[in-house]
Amino acid sequence: MRFTLALFGALSLFGAAAASAGCSGKSARVGASGGTSALGPELAGEGGSFVGTESCTNDTRVDTYTAAMERAGSKGILTFQLVSSEPAPPAKGNNTFQVVVKDSDGMPLGGTLGIDLEMPDHGHGTSVTPVVSLDAGSDAYKITPVYLFMPGVWRVELDFYGDSGTDAKPIDQATFYFCIEG
Ligand SMILES: [Cu+2]
């Protein structure tokens, strides 16, 4: 029994190492309020496997980018609008997103917005921490760089924390998936 458990542990370690061998970089979860940014990199979660770089254009998870695309928050409280991506659609390398967060009346909200970038099939994030800044004039959050350095499916999670900062739980969050081509 002991031997079995020890062996399982060793295999798990090996598996985790193998899963991360194909990719580099770490997940970056950041937030910013009113033009300042609070940086809080964290390591990417375990799991995932390296699946190569085959095209993801037909992957059923991915969204088709359109300007001003909107997504209801998972809690049904807020709406997240990806006003624009530069370049459009999002492409391999550096992107700049403009995001507006709206309440149920469609009024834009100011507060703290966080972004988390991950390649779910590879179990890693990005290697450059995005900076989030709120433009008080347009009520849009500018997020740059959204560094999608590798072809494949990228998960873009937006977390809105209001004025309470990223130490609190997000009030609502929405997730987009984009296929980045090589
Ligand atoms: Cu990857």
Side-chain angles (χ1 to χ4, degrees):
M1 190 56 160
R2 263 183 104 164
F3 172 76
T4 306
L5 282 173
L7 181 62
F8 179 76
L11 286 172
S12 297
L13 280 174
F14 177 77
S20 60
C23 308
S24 62
K26 59 183 183 294
S27 176
R29 184 183 289 274
V30 301
S33 176
T36 59
S37 68
L39 307 182
E42 62 181 19
L43 292 175
E46 290 182 29
S49 58
F50 186 68
V51 293
T53 56
E54 68 270 22
S55 173
C56 50
T57 50
N58 294 321
D59 190 298
T60 55
R61 292 170 295 178
V62 303
D63 295 299
T64 300
Y65 173 84
T66 57
M69 64 194 297
E70 290 192 341
R71 179 126 311 158
S74 61
K75 296 178 182 173
I77 300 170
L78 304 176
T79 299
F80 294 77
Q81 182 182 56
L82 179 54
V83 178
S84 64
S85 170
E86 173 60 44
K92 186 178 157 189
N94 287 321
N95 299 266
T96 298
F97 286 0
Q98 301 278 349
V99 170
V100 170
V101 182
K102 301 175 186 176
D103 67 13
S104 57
D105 294 324
M107 294 298 294
L109 297 175
T112 301
L113 183 71
I115 181 170
D116 189 50
L117 304 171
E118 184 193 23
M119 292 193 83
D121 298 327
H122 301 174
H124 67 77
T126 190
S127 53
V128 179
T129 303
V131 175
V132 185
S133 56
L134 176 62
D135 183 304
S138 62
D139 291 319
Y141 293 88
K142 179 182 180 181
I143 309 173
T144 192
V146 179
Y147 182 49
L148 310 176
F149 61 86
M150 188 176 181
V153 176
W154 282 87
R155 179 180 185 276
V156 178
E157 179 183 314
L158 299 173
D159 300 290
F160 186 76
Y161 297 91
D163 297 325
S164 51
T166 54
D167 288 340
K169 283 190 174 178
I171 295 170
D172 208 349
Q173 62 92 19
T175 306
F176 297 88
Y177 286 85
F178 294 116
C179 172
I180 300 302
E181 301 197 69

